[in-house]
Amino acid sequence: MIEIGAQVDLSHPTDRVWLALTDLGLLGRWFAEAEMVAGVPDRLLLHTAGLPGFDTNVEVEVTERQVPELLAMRCDEAGRLTELTCTVTATSQGCRLEIREVTSHGSWPAEQRELREQQLRQALTVRLPAILDWLAFQQVDLRRGEGGLTAELPLVGAFRNPARAPRRRRLIVAAAAAAVLVAGLAAWATLPGESNHAAPPAAQPLPSVTATGSTGTPKATASPRPSRTTASPTARPSRTPTAKPSKTATPAPPPPPLVARYDTDSTRLFGYTGEVVIDNPGGAPAANWAVVVTLADGSSIDDVDGADWRKDGQAITFTGPAVPAGKSQTFRFDVRDSRPKAREPEGCALGGNPCTGL
């Protein structure tokens, strides 16, 4: 009989850990993809072929279930039979998860056993905590109730880099100041156009009417005639040019559009940090930008600095403050990957245009 085992202390309640053990979608994120065997209750197939320490897929049958404390299973890996037990014990800080696998028929070679145990430890200490943090963020209610703030806050914030927070606040203050300045300039540019548009029609026709009504003095009659001839063409063109520039200035500036470039800032075991730089080569601030990064299967977003984000499957949409004219905006994001060798995103696009560098 050969035994493989590992345990981990988690800062999460037992019911959340139980969900990560029994939900097939979550199980596929931190250990291996699984599917139910059609027509056979409590039996499923783990797609472990290719994982370190596994030769092929494993057929699993649940033999005992005590929610949320104990999950016992019988496993068949190409004729090698094992008994797998998952025990969840509540602690003052959360809970302790212990996984123990014992062979009942057949055995593992020494090298395969070592790889298998290493794979189990990495799954429990790296990928499972990340999934539990993400799950906590999904479950938490951030609304204020009568009793104040919620008692439980998402643990994703524990992975953030506190050194980046001041820089983010400076970016927000700078963006707000730029918005106020642009609004003031727009109001100042509008005022002269309105006064020029109203003043000439009221001032110019009055001398011509007075001049035509005066017939006694030749000098007074001659004087208004040129002014009448001059005022008429001056007033009419002044209305047209004044209107045309105002119409030309209101639409958004023409190309060149925003451009984005991607770079893998750093890599680590089971993850990496990606960086996207957005350049604005135009002559006016550009707002309402959105960068869509498509992660590889088995990857998940962990932390973001410099942008807001939302997730739709493997597609992550990043948005942020306006990019000043001739300037750039940078945001970074941490990614966890289910494989030791991190994989770069499968795609990156800004407004439908691919990012450079990927």
Side-chain angles (χ1 to χ4, degrees):
M1 180 180 68
I2 301 177
E3 178 180 340
I4 290 178
Q7 71 177 27
V8 60
D9 291 320
L10 302 165
S11 56
H12 293 272
T14 56
D15 56 344
R16 185 175 298 148
V17 176
W18 179 265
L19 183 61
L21 289 172
T22 56
D23 183 271
L24 299 188
L26 296 176
L27 183 63
R29 293 294 185 181
W30 68 271
F31 183 67
E33 293 184 359
E35 61 177 330
M36 299 297 297
V37 177
V40 183
D42 288 335
R43 181 170 294 183
L44 55 98
L45 180 66
L46 289 177
H47 294 275
T48 53
L51 293 179
F54 292 86
D55 294 328
T56 183
N57 294 336
V58 178
E59 294 184 12
V60 177
E61 182 180 4
V62 178
T63 57
E64 185 177 0
R65 182 189 291 108
Q66 298 178 14
V67 182
E69 300 171 351
L70 176 65
L71 184 65
M73 295 166 282
R74 184 182 296 113
C75 306
D76 183 355
E77 184 184 356
R80 183 189 294 119
L81 305 180
T82 61
E83 300 289 338
L84 182 66
T85 305
C86 302
T87 306
V88 185
T89 306
T91 64
S92 59
Q93 300 298 323
C95 69
R96 174 175 297 166
L97 172 62
E98 181 179 3
I99 296 182
R100 179 171 175 265
E101 186 176 17
V102 180
T103 59
S104 57
H105 178 75
S107 62
W108 298 289
E111 182 179 359
Q112 184 178 8
R113 176 188 175 187
E114 183 179 351
L115 290 174
R116 196 184 189 101
E117 197 163 20
Q118 181 181 7
Q119 171 72 8
L120 179 60
R121 287 200 195 98
Q122 290 175 343
L124 291 181
T125 59
V126 179
R127 296 192 293 274
L128 177 58
I131 290 299
L132 292 172
D133 291 343
W134 173 84
L135 187 59
F137 183 81
Q138 300 297 315
Q139 292 177 335
V140 71
D141 184 4
L142 296 179
R143 297 172 298 178
R144 290 176 182 265
E146 294 181 357
L149 289 174
T150 176
E152 182 181 6
L153 293 177
L155 298 178
V156 176
F159 294 95
R160 293 187 63 85
N161 186 352
R164 296 177 180 174
R167 180 181 63 185
R168 184 170 185 177
R169 287 195 294 270
R170 289 195 297 268
L171 289 175
I172 294 174
V173 172
V180 172
L181 179 59
V182 171
L185 289 175
W188 176 83
T190 305
L191 290 176
E194 292 178 353
S195 61
N196 290 339
H197 180 75
Q204 294 293 341
L206 290 176
S208 64
V209 173
T210 305
T212 53
S214 176
T215 57
T217 306
K219 292 182 180 180
T221 306
S223 165
R225 286 180 181 175
S227 66
R228 183 179 181 182
T229 306
T230 306
S232 165
T234 303
R236 291 177 182 174
S238 65
R239 296 171 65 106
T240 306
T242 304
K244 287 183 178 178
S246 64
K247 291 182 180 180
T248 306
T250 41
L258 294 176
V259 293
R261 59 182 185 275
Y262 169 83
D263 181 45
T264 299
D265 185 59
S266 62
T267 59
R268 59 188 179 277
L269 187 64
F270 297 106
Y272 61 91
T273 298
E275 179 183 87
V276 175
V277 180
I278 304 172
D279 295 316
N280 180 10
N288 300 324
W289 57 266
V291 174
V292 179
V293 176
T294 305
L295 302 179
D297 288 338
S299 300
S300 60
I301 200 75
D302 185 17
D303 189 22
V304 178
D305 181 55
D308 298 322
W309 63 281
R310 66 179 184 273
K311 182 176 182 296
D312 184 11
Q314 293 302 107
I316 313 298
T317 301
F318 299 91
T319 57
V323 184
K327 302 294 183 179
S328 62
Q329 173 76 26
T330 301
F331 65 87
R332 297 177 179 85
F333 54 93
D334 294 334
V335 174
R336 289 182 180 269
D337 198 292
S338 60
R339 300 184 183 182
K341 185 177 180 181
R343 294 161 293 174
E344 290 187 338
E346 294 182 351
C348 174
L350 169 62
N353 298 320
C355 304
T356 61
L358 186 62

